[in-house]
């Protein structure tokens, strides 16, 4: 092989490895970006094709078995006939010695299922991992908490906030999709495995209720059963201090599985505890929601997320205004930016229609192959954390001329130098199921931050563009100023990072977001 051929082979190998790395990065944390969730539809379509071929093969096999059954059944209409007729007597012996063995041990069934298994193994590497199931379950719990959603409603496919006798519909999807008993069990089990009985109990209760309603109906795709749900719910109730409920559920479990010695021992234990402390039989356990130590402002944050658009109204504060903005820049004279001041201290403004549809689409396309799980700065390290659920990508303006144009527009509007090292590269963020970023500062707050050692110094401003709207939820919450800004497609908010509490400490001073925060 000549030098040129070897070089070509090396370049091809490097290209393949780069594609493998991109593919691996795309498969990680499917739940943390909606683009990755949407991408998961492709392998499921392939699995549907495999299942269709399997069903057709099995249908043909069942038709053949039905033919054999009908043929043999017709011979038994006259029980004496097979004995009287030598030919029928021979076929009876043959059937019992050969035909039935071939039917029972037919390779066709195993060949059909093997083809399905082989096809599944080919797409298995493209499927979400178990960690994605856990992440998606935690995301539903997060939405449940932030928006005070009712678990029973979620299981029915409706998004309702229930406070006392008041029921508020927060989101009306175009298609109602209910959860199965096994779906609810898996969500509850994720919380159960974390020792989070506040979330585990209502989801497991819903699973038990649904399993009871369909008991005896076996579903191939289900991993759990009524016994599994009762088992987990009973222990969760015990851990939460409700011994009476744990006893009742354990006794019900034994009705379906009386030979289970472990559950029988639990029943004796619960009966003894109640005998020793009779007041526990009527005590109602109150489970507190788990608190996250790092977020002291959770109530304010979630309250602002629930009351979307709680920013001051112009007619209430005359100093708030709308205008056409040029910032004395020749670049904006022919096409001024529509500016809406929504808060004065801290200063927050929305710039409407800042990017076009084609520009927004182009940014998404440029960023999507490079999306990776978002991280936060922790001293010298960059860490993945539960309080920031999204994927992000950094784009240099050398990637596409359109980004240079966008930089010029941002610089003209802000009067700031947006070229490195005075500004960071454009960051594109895609939020996943229940994606969010809890309150934080964009600027560095610790002298140990690497930002303090950069020539450019600490951050002074953030420029954020929403590249799409959301069907429900989503807001930028300014917790110390006590207001939130809802998501509107294309508007851009400019603000000082000193007072902003839902930006990204590892993000650029100018950043765009594919999907806004869901909480």
């Amino acid at each position: 092989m000549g030098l040129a051929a070897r070089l070509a082979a090396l370049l091809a190998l490097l290209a393949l490895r780069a594609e493998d790395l991109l593919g691996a990065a795309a498969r990680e944390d499917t739940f943390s970006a909606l683009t990755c969730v949407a991408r998961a539809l492709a392998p499921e379509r392939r699995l549907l094709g495999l299942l269709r071929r399997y069903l057709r093969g099995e249908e043909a096999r069942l038709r053949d078995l039905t033919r054999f059954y009908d043929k043999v059944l017709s011979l038994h209409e006259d029980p004496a006939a097979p004995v009287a007729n030598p030919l029928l007597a021979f076929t009876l012996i043959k059937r019992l010695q050969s035909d039935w063995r071939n039917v029972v041990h037919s390779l066709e069934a195993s060949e059909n299922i093997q083809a399905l298994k082989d096809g599944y193994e080919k797409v298995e590497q493209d499927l979400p991992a178990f960690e994605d199931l856990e992440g998606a379950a935690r995301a539903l719990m997060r939405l449940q908490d932030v928006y005070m959603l009712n678990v029973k409603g979620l299981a029915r496919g409706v998004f309702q906030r229930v406070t006392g006798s008041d029921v508020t519909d927060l989101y009306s999807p175009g298609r109602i999709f209910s959860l199965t008993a096994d779906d609810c069990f898996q969500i509850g089990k994720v919380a159960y495995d974390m020792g989070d009985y506040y979330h585990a109990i209502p989801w497991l209760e819903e699973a038990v209720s649904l399993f009871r309603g369909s008991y005896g109906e076996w579903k191939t795709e289900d991993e759990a059963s009524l016994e599994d749900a009762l088992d987990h719910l009973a222990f969760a109730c015990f851990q939460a201090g409700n011994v009476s409920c744990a006893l009742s559920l354990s006794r019900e479990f034994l009705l379906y599985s009386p030979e289970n010695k472990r559950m029988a021992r639990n029943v004796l234990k619960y009966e003894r505890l109640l005998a020793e402390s009779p007041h526990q039989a009527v005590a109602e356990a109150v489970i507190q929601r788990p608190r996250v130590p790092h977020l002291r402002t959770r109530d304010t944050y979630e309250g602002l997320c629930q009351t979307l658009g709680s920013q001051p109204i112009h007619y209430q504060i005359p100093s708030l205004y709308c205008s056409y903005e040029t910032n004395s820049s020749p670049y904006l004279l022919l096409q001024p930016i529509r500016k809406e001041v929504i808060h004065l201290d801290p200063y927050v403004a929305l710039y409407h229609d800042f990017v076009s549809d084609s520009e927004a689409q182009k940014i998404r396309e440029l960023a999507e192959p490079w999306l990776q799980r978002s991280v936060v700065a922790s001293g010298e390290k960059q860490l993945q954390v539960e309080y920031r659920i999204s994927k992000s990508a950094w784009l240099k303006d050398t990637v596409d001329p359109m980004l240079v144009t966008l930089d010029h527009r941002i610089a003209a509007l802000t009067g700031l130098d947006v070229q490195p090292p005075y500004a960071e590269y454009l960051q594109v963020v895609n939020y996943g199921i229940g994606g969010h970023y809890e309150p934080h500062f964009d600027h560095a707050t610790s002298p140990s931050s690497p930002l303090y050692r950069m020539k450019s110094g600490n951050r002074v401003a953030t420029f954020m563009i929403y590249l799409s709207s959301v069907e429900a939820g989503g807001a930028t919450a300014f917790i110390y100023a006590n207001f939130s800004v809802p998501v509107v497609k294309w508007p851009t908010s400019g603000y000082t990072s000193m007072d902003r509490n839902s930006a990204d400490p590892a993000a650029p001073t100018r950043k765009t977001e594919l999907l806004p925060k869901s909480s």
Side-chain angles (χ1 to χ4, degrees):
M1 183 183 293
L3 178 60
R6 287 199 299 271
L7 181 58
L10 176 60
L11 290 175
L13 178 61
L14 289 174
L16 287 172
R17 287 182 175 175
E19 290 177 2
D20 290 343
L21 289 173
L22 284 175
R27 289 192 296 272
E28 291 175 356
D29 299 319
T30 300
F31 72 95
S32 63
L34 288 184
T35 55
C36 296
V37 176
R39 198 180 295 128
L41 289 170
E44 184 166 55
R45 291 192 188 99
R46 293 199 293 273
L47 289 173
L48 281 173
L50 292 169
L51 185 59
R52 182 175 61 250
R53 289 194 290 273
Y54 169 76
L55 289 173
R56 288 173 177 171
E58 285 294 279
E59 287 169 354
R61 186 175 71 89
L62 289 175
R63 285 195 298 270
D64 189 51
L65 289 176
T66 301
R67 175 200 53 77
F68 176 78
Y69 171 83
D70 291 339
K71 182 185 77 171
V72 176
L73 181 64
S74 66
L75 297 175
H76 283 258
E77 292 175 354
D78 182 2
V83 178
N85 186 329
L87 296 177
L88 291 178
F90 169 79
T91 59
L92 169 62
I93 294 171
K94 176 180 176 292
R95 285 199 308 274
L96 293 177
Q97 198 282 324
S98 174
D99 294 1
W100 276 101
R101 183 177 67 252
N102 292 335
V103 167
V104 172
H105 298 286
S106 170
L107 293 178
E108 189 177 7
S110 59
E111 288 171 353
N112 288 343
I113 195 64
Q114 189 60 48
L116 181 62
K117 288 180 178 178
D118 291 343
Y120 175 83
E121 289 174 358
K122 290 179 180 178
V123 302
E124 191 171 10
Q125 62 178 357
D126 298 324
L127 304 181
F130 179 71
E131 289 75 13
D132 290 305
L133 177 61
E134 290 181 317
R138 289 196 298 269
L140 288 180
M141 297 176 215
R142 189 181 309 118
L143 292 175
Q144 171 192 342
D145 291 340
V146 171
Y147 297 107
M148 300 175 63
L149 298 177
N150 178 263
V151 170
K152 285 189 174 296
L154 285 174
R156 297 196 309 273
V158 297
F159 296 76
Q160 294 178 330
R161 179 188 301 144
V162 179
T163 52
S165 58
D166 296 331
V167 178
T168 306
D169 289 320
L170 300 182
Y171 171 46
S172 300
R175 176 187 176 190
I176 300 296
F177 185 84
S178 301
L179 297 178
T180 66
D182 192 64
D183 293 335
C184 294
F185 174 80
Q186 295 300 335
I187 297 170
K189 189 175 183 300
V190 168
Y192 175 94
D193 290 340
M194 295 188 300
D196 176 8
Y197 303 114
Y198 174 87
H199 291 103
I201 289 176
W203 283 106
L204 291 173
E205 284 178 338
E206 193 62 25
V208 166
S209 177
L210 292 172
F211 273 128
R212 284 171 178 158
S214 61
Y215 190 76
E217 299 175 11
W218 181 70
K219 295 181 180 177
T220 306
E221 68 272 21
D222 284 357
E223 186 172 326
S225 64
L226 175 58
E227 290 91 327
D228 293 321
L230 288 169
D231 191 357
H232 285 77
L233 180 57
F235 189 74
C237 289
F238 169 69
Q239 290 292 92
N242 195 336
V243 181
S244 179
C245 179
L247 175 60
S248 175
L249 293 166
S250 299
R251 285 172 172 168
E252 182 180 354
F253 176 96
L254 289 176
L255 294 177
Y256 302 104
S257 185
E259 73 285 352
N260 191 295
K261 296 180 180 179
R262 175 180 57 82
M263 190 60 75
R265 289 194 299 270
N266 285 350
V267 167
L268 294 175
K269 176 182 178 180
Y270 299 150
E271 289 175 341
R272 185 177 69 255
L273 289 173
L274 290 175
E276 294 171 353
S277 303
H279 66 278
Q280 291 192 32
V282 295
E284 186 173 338
V286 178
I287 312 171
Q288 296 296 324
R289 175 183 166 188
R291 304 295 292 184
V292 179
H294 77 270
L295 185 58
R296 300 186 183 91
T297 55
R298 180 178 298 280
D299 292 341
T300 302
Y301 166 61
E302 293 182 353
L304 291 171
C305 290
Q306 292 165 17
T307 55
L308 301 181
S310 57
Q311 74 271 21
I313 302 175
H314 292 163
Y315 69 80
Q316 294 175 335
I317 304 178
S319 54
L320 300 177
Y321 61 93
C322 295
S323 64
Y324 286 98
E325 185 72 24
T326 65
N327 198 28
S328 301
S329 170
Y331 190 86
L332 300 176
L333 283 177
L334 294 179
Q335 191 173 3
I337 302 297
R338 296 193 298 161
K339 175 182 177 180
E340 177 187 0
V341 178
I342 59 176
H343 207 273
L344 297 175
D345 186 17
Y347 183 78
V348 180
L350 288 178
Y351 299 98
H352 292 258
D353 301 319
F354 189 79
V355 297
S356 66
D357 287 4
S358 60
E359 288 174 327
Q361 179 62 28
K362 185 68 173 180
I363 294 171
R364 288 196 293 265
E365 291 173 355
L366 292 172
E368 185 169 351
W370 305 100
L371 289 173
Q372 293 185 352
R373 177 69 184 269
S374 299
V375 295
V376 300
S378 177
E380 299 289 338
K381 298 180 179 180
Q382 301 285 311
L383 303 177
Q384 295 180 8
V385 291
E386 183 67 18
Y387 60 84
R388 187 185 185 191
I389 301 297
S390 62
K391 285 192 174 183
S392 55
W394 298 86
L395 295 181
K396 296 182 179 181
D397 58 10
T398 55
V399 172
D400 191 273
M402 185 272 295
L403 298 180
V404 177
T405 303
L406 181 60
D407 278 350
H408 289 162
R409 195 179 308 153
I410 296 173
L413 180 61
T414 62
L416 299 174
D417 189 339
V418 299
Q419 295 303 310
Y422 304 106
E424 292 156 323
Y425 296 117
L426 200 69
Q427 186 188 48
V428 181
V429 182
N430 181 217
Y431 288 91
I433 306 171
H436 73 143
Y437 196 166
E438 290 185 351
H440 60 281
F441 294 101
D442 263 12
H443 67 286
T445 57
S446 169
S448 64
S449 171
L451 277 175
Y452 279 93
R453 294 192 292 275
M454 295 174 64
K455 293 181 179 180
S456 57
N458 205 349
R459 291 170 176 158
V460 295
T462 295
F463 201 88
M464 182 170 66
I465 304 171
Y466 287 119
L467 296 182
S468 65
S469 298
V470 291
E471 294 187 31
T476 298
F478 297 81
I479 57 172
Y480 294 121
N482 198 33
F483 76 99
S484 61
V485 182
V487 175
V488 183
K489 191 177 183 180
W490 308 159
T492 301
S493 57
Y495 39 77
T496 57
S497 63
M498 183 63 69
D499 292 296
R500 184 173 189 273
N501 296 288
S502 56
D504 175 2
T509 52
R510 51 195 176 92
K511 69 178 180 183
T512 59
E513 298 191 3
L514 278 169
L515 283 176
K517 298 165 181 57
S518 298
S519 57

